[in-house]
Amino acid sequence: YPVEIFACNFNDGMGPADLEAPIKKFNSFADKRGWTEYSAWTLMKYYGGGAQDFDFLWVGVSPSATALGRMQDQWVAEGSKVQAAFDEVSPCGAHANFASLTMQQPPERTIDKLVVSFSDCNMGDGMLFGDVYPAIDEWAKYRKEHGSKAGMWVWFPAYGDGESDFDFKLITAYGNLE
């Protein structure tokens, strides 16, 4: 399934609480248009280094590229006022699209906070993903057999991330830091 991310930085004097108003506007915009095939989260950076030149990520997911494209078409045509509300708080300097493969489905969650880990991964020379898939699948199974309830995905860069120095991202979502 497709995933879009926006890498964003807060304007001076702005922070996570300032996102609440534009997110409410976005939710209202989406509800009025019947967007039932799009879910989004804001991920605040906890650990990071110089290569992560952003304060937070907006991560949006749809069940198909068609659904995401339909939503994006409406956003471009009709979302400028809501976009302006976001820009007052935080412009987003990067927008990228990934194809996501679920390696370990997490249990249904009722919490509103997760810890999400992003790892940039490269395959050895001459390797294809089919060569490394069995090892990642085995790791996911091992973790589950030993009590892990973390979700695990592989993201392949598709659009907007032409400067990647990785072959794929390994994403893991945990219920807490413990």
Side-chain angles (χ1 to χ4, degrees):
Y1 54 90
V3 174
E4 69 173 346
I5 63 169
F6 292 86
C8 310
N9 288 298
F10 290 112
N11 287 323
D12 288 341
M14 298 287 185
D18 297 299
L19 282 173
E20 290 179 25
I23 287 172
K24 283 182 183 177
K25 288 180 182 182
F26 177 87
N27 288 339
S28 176
F29 177 91
D31 289 345
K32 287 177 184 172
R33 284 152 185 83
W35 288 4
T36 59
E37 296 183 301
Y38 184 81
S39 297
W41 300 267
T42 53
L43 305 179
M44 299 298 155
K45 187 166 55 172
Y46 185 75
Y47 290 116
Q52 294 88 31
D53 188 22
F54 59 85
D55 294 327
F56 71 94
L57 297 175
W58 173 282
V59 178
V61 179
S62 285
S64 71
T66 301
L68 181 62
R70 182 174 39 253
M71 181 277 310
Q72 290 173 328
D73 283 342
Q74 281 190 315
W75 180 254
V76 169
E78 304 168 17
S80 62
K81 288 182 181 177
V82 178
Q83 183 62 58
F86 275 107
D87 291 343
E88 287 179 24
V89 175
S90 174
C92 300
H95 182 204
N97 176 254
F98 293 85
S100 180
L101 173 65
T102 301
M103 299 301 296
Q104 178 63 48
Q105 186 68 38
E108 290 293 322
R109 300 187 192 275
T110 58
I111 57 175
D112 63 350
K113 294 185 181 183
L114 292 172
V115 176
V116 182
S117 168
F118 290 77
S119 299
D120 293 345
C121 302
N122 285 301
M123 297 178 282
D125 290 339
M127 301 290 278
L128 299 173
F129 187 72
D131 299 320
V132 298
Y133 175 86
I136 297 170
D137 187 49
E138 189 66 29
W139 176 237
K141 288 175 184 173
Y142 174 86
R143 291 169 55 109
K144 185 175 183 178
E145 289 169 2
H146 289 85
S148 175
K149 294 181 181 173
M152 198 162 87
W153 301 265
V154 173
W155 288 5
F156 302 97
Y159 302 109
D161 200 26
E163 298 176 14
S164 303
D165 59 352
F166 59 87
D167 294 322
F168 62 90
K169 289 185 177 288
L170 182 61
I171 313 298
T172 310
Y174 305 91
N176 54 49
L177 288 167
E178 180 183 350

